[in-house]
Amino acid sequence: MVLIWIAVKLLRQDASGEGREVRHGTTLWEAIWVIIVADIIMSLDNVLAVAAAAHGDLALVIFGIGLSIPVVVLGAGFLATLMNRFQWIVWLGGGILVGWRRDGSRG
């Protein structure tokens, strides 16, 4: 639900054509706090998605969460390995983010 709220705010911001100053962490501890909160929100979103797909079946919820955790961990490890081996992936991702921001569509 929080992710939907963020998406709606971003879409409304794009539709109005005016940008806002985004608050960012000014210290290491603020940045760590932002990462922790984002991780909790994304984890909660994952759990809610699995629970919704299970349609109330507790066994499916447990199976879905048990399956999704290794998929996320292994996927992140695989992506980290690729980024270490092929540095151009990091540059490509950074270029996409910078181009997305300069385009004005996000930010």
Side-chain angles (χ1 to χ4, degrees):
M1 192 60 148
V2 175
L3 294 177
I4 292 172
W5 175 74
I6 292 170
V8 168
K9 287 186 67 96
L10 286 172
L11 288 174
R12 250 196 291 159
Q13 179 181 344
D14 284 349
S16 67
E18 57 190 44
R20 289 189 312 205
E21 186 64 30
V22 176
R23 185 181 175 280
H24 59 280
T26 56
T27 66
L28 175 64
W29 293 113
E30 284 182 14
I32 290 171
W33 178 250
V34 168
I35 291 169
I36 289 171
V37 169
D39 189 42
I40 290 170
I41 290 170
M42 288 185 290
S43 297
L44 178 63
D45 183 62
N46 185 35
V47 169
L48 291 175
V50 168
H55 297 292
D57 187 354
L58 184 59
L60 283 177
V61 171
I62 293 170
F63 174 76
I65 292 172
L67 180 66
S68 68
I69 291 171
V71 167
V72 169
V73 170
L74 292 174
F78 178 68
L79 187 58
T81 301
L82 284 178
M83 289 188 300
N84 283 333
R85 182 173 292 173
F86 306 109
Q87 288 290 316
W88 61 267
I89 294 174
V90 175
W91 287 100
L92 177 68
I96 290 171
L97 291 175
V98 168
W100 197 9
R101 182 161 173 100
R102 284 191 184 164
D103 182 36
S105 59
R106 295 282 183 254

